[in-house]
Amino acid sequence: MKIRSVPFIAMGGLYEQDDLEAVTRVTTAAMQESGNFFPLPEENDFQNALARHEGAKKAIAVNACGTALDCCMMALGIGAGDEVITTPMTFVCTAGTAIAQGARAVFADIDPVTLNLDPAQVRAKITPRTKAILPVHFGGLPCDLDAFDRITEETGVPVIYDAAHAVGARYKGQPIGGRGKASCHSFQSNKNMTCLGEGGAVTTDDEAFAEQVRQLKTFGYVYGSSGVRVVSIGFNYRMTKAQYAVGLTQLAKIDRVIQARQERMVRLNELLVGVEEVLLPVGHGPGHGSHLHVIRLDTDRVGFSTPAFVAHLKDKYQVGTAKHYPAVWGWEALQKLGYTGEGCPVAAKVCEQVVSTPVFPRTTEEDLQYIAWAIKQTIVELKKQ
Ligand SMILES: Cc1ncc(COP(=O)(O)O)c(C=O)c1O
């Protein structure tokens, strides 16, 4: 095949004319004499639409998923002496949100097939100090929600889902935003929908919890007939009017974006069937949030390293990849705090094997065939070295 460039891009969704028009509309309105950039009514409209889409009673939009997670930790009152059980195979902020509140992140191992946090491993790590469980729907594949519900029923420990990859995902055919205590979503640029580059939300069926998050987001304000009261200590974690407006246009197309991603990820799996050096991701197709397509190099079998594989793909074939994720305990900041991979052998190995492929809503059939061919060529060529 002829060499072509297939980069790993930083735009996970589709940014189109309707998004541009939404920005233009709110900006044009702000140019009028009585105009402003106050968030209503777009903020409420976006939150209501998101709650409906995610099957939750409430959605509170904030400026990032990291902020959504922080709000949940604060609303649960998590602090020094507490433990929060989470996955080591995630973006740093999942563990960081617990650590930032003064708690200890406790890593439980992942399931070697789904790469999601293994509920049995979580159970084994619960102590009287455990105040929350923080699983990630890795790549958009929903966790075993029923198993986590049972853990909460039996132990009382609430589950906050990091749903940064999973807007629009379904579990047993149903939306998942109302499951557990709450779910935290990301609308950052890489994600399947974006609110002009940043954004996040908490979705929940617990209305009292939603109200706590809402106050944290907006200076502890409560609005009444006699004006504003400050009833708790809060912050300003709002998005802007333009971001809420674009959130609405992005949400209106998210199912189309997810379907486009799903089809391409299923197709790439098909093209890689039979390549025994590569372990293919499971669960792709309907219900999968389809944020990431993560293959694993079978490092026991191939005799070369994942970095060598990635470098060859890029240097010789111009196929870009990303790594989701290096093990969280390995980051300098966590090393300084004494975190290790003890008790997580599956994650330790998987984190050395993962390669995210460059699949996006506009990836073409030719691109997919090229990616699969380049992967196969790379394996053959590195095996010879
Ligand atoms: C699993 C996970 N959690 C949380 C975040 C943080 O999201 P945000 O950038 O919206 O704060 C990310 C972002 O990449 C993520 O991948």
Side-chain angles (χ1 to χ4, degrees):
M1 274 192 185
K2 202 160 155 276
I3 301 292
R4 60 198 280 148
S5 170
V6 188
F8 197 97
I9 58 176
M11 183 76 186
L14 292 175
Y15 190 71
E16 298 170 317
Q17 192 62 26
D18 56 341
D19 304 296
L20 186 58
E21 280 163 13
V23 177
T24 308
R25 182 175 48 74
V26 296
T27 310
T28 307
M31 288 161 66
Q32 309 309 310
E33 206 171 325
S34 60
N36 62 61
F37 274 112
F38 290 142
L40 293 179
E42 287 81 1
E43 180 183 31
N44 283 345
D45 293 346
F46 176 59
Q47 293 182 148
N48 292 338
L50 182 66
R52 262 196 314 278
H53 191 266
E54 295 305 308
K57 285 193 181 144
K58 290 278 175 190
I60 309 297
V62 291
N63 57 19
C65 181
T67 311
L69 288 164
D70 292 345
C71 287
C72 289
M73 294 294 108
M74 288 189 265
L76 290 176
I78 283 165
D82 295 338
E83 292 176 355
V84 175
I85 303 177
T86 190
T87 169
M89 203 172 86
T90 182
F91 185 58
V92 62
C93 93
T94 318
T97 191
I99 298 169
Q101 298 302 319
R104 184 108 193 129
V106 173
F107 296 119
D109 214 349
I110 58 170
D111 180 294
V113 176
T114 64
L115 312 189
N116 277 329
L117 192 54
D118 180 345
Q121 298 289 328
V122 169
R123 272 180 192 278
K125 300 260 166 139
I126 291 177
T127 74
R129 291 183 296 281
T130 308
K131 291 293 172 337
I133 300 165
L134 195 39
V136 175
H137 304 301
F138 179 74
L141 179 65
C143 293
D144 186 346
L145 301 183
D146 291 345
F148 284 113
D149 279 355
R150 284 195 293 277
I151 293 178
T152 300
E153 275 158 30
E154 288 164 28
T155 64
V157 179
V159 178
I160 303 289
Y161 290 103
D162 180 335
H165 303 171
V167 66
R170 299 280 183 276
Y171 176 78
K172 298 186 177 172
Q174 299 302 316
I176 60 178
R179 299 293 295 261
K181 186 70 164 177
S183 295
C184 297
H185 304 266
S186 175
F187 310 125
Q188 177 262 350
S189 177
N190 294 339
K191 303 303 186 300
N192 292 4
M193 60 174 270
T194 181
C195 294
L196 294 174
E198 297 284 1
V202 175
T203 56
T204 179
D205 271 355
D206 182 331
E207 301 198 31
F209 190 77
E211 173 57 17
Q212 277 180 282
V213 172
R214 192 198 61 74
Q215 288 178 20
L216 283 162
K217 161 193 172 173
T218 319
F219 302 121
Y221 283 179
V222 168
Y223 306 92
S225 51
S226 54
V228 168
R229 289 160 54 219
V230 176
V231 299
S232 60
I233 297 301
F235 308 90
N236 179 356
Y237 293 151
R238 290 179 296 226
M239 288 198 278
T240 66
K241 188 179 193 73
Q243 287 179 287
Y244 294 123
V246 170
L248 280 162
T249 48
Q250 289 279 297
L251 199 54
K253 72 182 94 184
I254 187 65
D255 294 335
R256 169 164 62 97
V257 169
I258 291 173
Q259 195 180 336
R261 298 185 66 107
Q262 267 170 13
E263 286 166 5
R264 287 157 177 77
M265 291 176 181
V266 167
R267 176 72 181 134
L268 186 53
N269 265 6
E270 272 169 24
L271 291 166
L272 290 170
V273 165
V275 183
E276 39 186 44
E277 294 83 356
V278 165
L279 303 165
L280 295 178
V282 299
H284 280 291
H288 197 300
S290 305
H291 176 53
L292 299 174
H293 179 269
V294 180
I295 60 171
R296 285 156 60 198
L297 194 64
D298 191 346
T299 40
D300 291 335
R301 183 189 279 264
V302 291
F304 53 82
S305 72
T306 311
F309 172 75
V310 163
H312 196 86
L313 262 182
K314 177 92 184 69
D315 298 344
K316 178 151 185 200
Y317 293 104
Q318 295 185 33
V319 172
T321 57
K323 178 162 180 148
H324 299 93
Y325 288 96
V328 170
W329 64 69
W331 292 113
E332 214 176 306
L334 277 87
Q335 292 274 300
K336 281 190 209 143
L337 294 170
Y339 286 95
T340 69
E342 200 188 322
C344 299
V346 177
K349 181 162 198 176
V350 168
C351 290
E352 297 300 323
Q353 299 177 319
V354 284
V355 179
S356 304
T357 63
V359 182
F360 301 94
R362 293 189 175 113
T363 304
T364 63
E365 170 65 19
E366 290 70 34
D367 289 334
L368 294 170
Q369 289 190 13
Y370 180 75
I371 296 166
W373 175 77
I375 287 172
K376 292 176 198 171
Q377 288 293 110
T378 296
I379 291 168
V380 170
E381 287 160 18
L382 289 181
K383 271 184 151 178
K384 281 194 200 138
Q385 281 180 9

Short mmCIF file of all heavy atoms in Angstrom, two decimals, residues 78-102:
data_model
loop_
_atom_site.label_atom_id
_atom_site.label_comp_id
_atom_site.label_asym_id
_atom_site.label_seq_id
_atom_site.Cartn_x
_atom_site.Cartn_y
_atom_site.Cartn_z
N ILE A 78 -15.44 13.79 51.44
CA ILE A 78 -14.22 12.98 51.50
C ILE A 78 -13.02 13.84 51.91
O ILE A 78 -12.86 14.96 51.43
CB ILE A 78 -14.01 12.28 50.14
CG1 ILE A 78 -15.00 11.11 50.09
CG2 ILE A 78 -12.57 11.81 49.94
CD1 ILE A 78 -15.21 10.50 48.78
N GLY A 79 -12.21 13.30 52.84
CA GLY A 79 -11.07 14.08 53.32
C GLY A 79 -10.00 13.20 53.92
O GLY A 79 -9.95 11.98 53.66
N ALA A 80 -9.15 13.81 54.72
CA ALA A 80 -8.00 13.10 55.30
C ALA A 80 -8.45 11.87 56.06
O ALA A 80 -9.46 11.90 56.77
CB ALA A 80 -7.25 14.05 56.22
N GLY A 81 -7.71 10.79 55.88
CA GLY A 81 -8.02 9.54 56.59
C GLY A 81 -8.96 8.63 55.82
O GLY A 81 -9.13 7.47 56.15
N ASP A 82 -9.58 9.18 54.75
CA ASP A 82 -10.51 8.36 53.95
C ASP A 82 -9.77 7.66 52.82
O ASP A 82 -8.70 8.08 52.41
CB ASP A 82 -11.61 9.25 53.34
CG ASP A 82 -12.50 9.87 54.39
OD1 ASP A 82 -12.56 9.33 55.52
OD2 ASP A 82 -13.12 10.91 54.09
N GLU A 83 -10.41 6.60 52.33
CA GLU A 83 -9.86 5.88 51.18
C GLU A 83 -10.90 5.86 50.06
O GLU A 83 -12.09 5.72 50.33
CB GLU A 83 -9.54 4.42 51.56
CG GLU A 83 -8.38 4.33 52.56
CD GLU A 83 -8.12 2.91 53.03
OE1 GLU A 83 -8.89 1.99 52.67
OE2 GLU A 83 -7.15 2.73 53.78
N VAL A 84 -10.42 6.00 48.84
CA VAL A 84 -11.29 5.93 47.66
C VAL A 84 -10.70 4.87 46.73
O VAL A 84 -9.54 4.99 46.31
CB VAL A 84 -11.38 7.30 46.94
CG1 VAL A 84 -12.18 7.18 45.65
CG2 VAL A 84 -11.99 8.34 47.87
N ILE A 85 -11.48 3.84 46.44
CA ILE A 85 -10.96 2.75 45.60
C ILE A 85 -11.19 3.09 44.13
O ILE A 85 -12.30 3.46 43.73
CB ILE A 85 -11.65 1.42 45.95
CG1 ILE A 85 -11.45 1.10 47.44
CG2 ILE A 85 -11.10 0.28 45.08
CD1 ILE A 85 -12.15 -0.16 47.91
N THR A 86 -10.14 2.97 43.36
CA THR A 86 -10.26 3.31 41.94
C THR A 86 -9.37 2.43 41.08
O THR A 86 -8.63 1.58 41.58
CB THR A 86 -9.97 4.82 41.71
OG1 THR A 86 -10.33 5.17 40.37
CG2 THR A 86 -8.51 5.17 41.95
N THR A 87 -9.46 2.66 39.76
CA THR A 87 -8.66 1.89 38.81
C THR A 87 -7.30 2.57 38.59
O THR A 87 -7.24 3.80 38.51
CB THR A 87 -9.39 1.76 37.45
OG1 THR A 87 -8.48 1.23 36.48
CG2 THR A 87 -9.92 3.09 36.95
N PRO A 88 -6.26 1.77 38.42
CA PRO A 88 -4.96 2.38 38.11
C PRO A 88 -4.81 2.68 36.62
O PRO A 88 -3.86 3.34 36.22
CB PRO A 88 -3.96 1.32 38.53
CG PRO A 88 -4.70 0.03 38.48
CD PRO A 88 -6.17 0.32 38.66
N MET A 89 -5.75 2.19 35.80
CA MET A 89 -5.59 2.41 34.36
C MET A 89 -6.56 3.51 33.92
O MET A 89 -7.64 3.25 33.37
CB MET A 89 -5.84 1.14 33.56
CG MET A 89 -5.14 1.26 32.22
SD MET A 89 -5.15 -0.21 31.26
CE MET A 89 -6.68 -0.07 30.45
N THR A 90 -6.16 4.75 34.19
CA THR A 90 -7.01 5.89 33.90
C THR A 90 -6.15 7.13 33.78
O THR A 90 -4.94 7.10 34.02
CB THR A 90 -8.07 6.07 35.01
OG1 THR A 90 -8.93 7.16 34.66
CG2 THR A 90 -7.45 6.33 36.36
N PHE A 91 -6.81 8.21 33.44
CA PHE A 91 -6.17 9.52 33.44
C PHE A 91 -5.88 9.89 34.89
O PHE A 91 -6.63 9.52 35.80
CB PHE A 91 -7.14 10.52 32.80
CG PHE A 91 -6.58 11.89 32.63
CD1 PHE A 91 -5.44 12.10 31.88
CD2 PHE A 91 -7.21 12.97 33.21
CE1 PHE A 91 -4.93 13.37 31.71
CE2 PHE A 91 -6.72 14.26 33.04
CZ PHE A 91 -5.58 14.46 32.29
N VAL A 92 -4.83 10.65 35.09
CA VAL A 92 -4.35 10.91 36.45
C VAL A 92 -5.44 11.52 37.34
O VAL A 92 -5.48 11.28 38.55
CB VAL A 92 -3.08 11.80 36.44
CG1 VAL A 92 -3.35 13.17 35.83
CG2 VAL A 92 -2.50 11.93 37.83
N CYS A 93 -6.37 12.27 36.77
CA CYS A 93 -7.27 13.03 37.64
C CYS A 93 -8.31 12.15 38.33
O CYS A 93 -8.89 12.58 39.32
CB CYS A 93 -7.90 14.20 36.91
SG CYS A 93 -9.45 13.90 36.17
N THR A 94 -8.51 10.91 37.88
CA THR A 94 -9.47 10.05 38.58
C THR A 94 -8.96 9.77 40.00
O THR A 94 -9.68 9.95 40.99
CB THR A 94 -9.68 8.72 37.81
OG1 THR A 94 -9.79 8.99 36.42
CG2 THR A 94 -10.92 8.00 38.30
N ALA A 95 -7.71 9.36 40.09
CA ALA A 95 -7.12 9.15 41.42
C ALA A 95 -6.84 10.50 42.08
O ALA A 95 -7.04 10.67 43.29
CB ALA A 95 -5.82 8.36 41.28
N GLY A 96 -6.42 11.45 41.26
CA GLY A 96 -6.02 12.76 41.79
C GLY A 96 -7.16 13.47 42.52
O GLY A 96 -6.93 14.19 43.48
N THR A 97 -8.39 13.25 42.09
CA THR A 97 -9.51 13.94 42.73
C THR A 97 -9.66 13.53 44.20
O THR A 97 -9.98 14.35 45.05
CB THR A 97 -10.82 13.72 41.93
OG1 THR A 97 -11.81 14.61 42.41
CG2 THR A 97 -11.35 12.30 42.02
N ALA A 98 -9.39 12.25 44.48
CA ALA A 98 -9.45 11.78 45.88
C ALA A 98 -8.25 12.32 46.65
O ALA A 98 -8.38 12.81 47.79
CB ALA A 98 -9.46 10.25 45.90
N ILE A 99 -7.08 12.25 46.02
CA ILE A 99 -5.85 12.68 46.69
C ILE A 99 -5.92 14.18 47.00
O ILE A 99 -5.50 14.63 48.07
CB ILE A 99 -4.62 12.34 45.80
CG1 ILE A 99 -4.52 10.82 45.60
CG2 ILE A 99 -3.34 12.89 46.41
CD1 ILE A 99 -3.52 10.37 44.54
N ALA A 100 -6.50 14.95 46.07
CA ALA A 100 -6.60 16.40 46.27
C ALA A 100 -7.43 16.76 47.51
O ALA A 100 -7.24 17.81 48.11
CB ALA A 100 -7.21 17.06 45.03
N GLN A 101 -8.36 15.88 47.87
CA GLN A 101 -9.18 16.13 49.07
C GLN A 101 -8.48 15.64 50.34
O GLN A 101 -9.06 15.68 51.43
CB GLN A 101 -10.55 15.45 48.95
CG GLN A 101 -11.40 15.94 47.81
CD GLN A 101 -11.69 17.42 47.88
OE1 GLN A 101 -11.94 17.98 48.94
NE2 GLN A 101 -11.62 18.07 46.73
N GLY A 102 -7.28 15.11 50.20
CA GLY A 102 -6.54 14.63 51.37
C GLY A 102 -6.74 13.15 51.63
O GLY A 102 -6.22 12.60 52.60
#
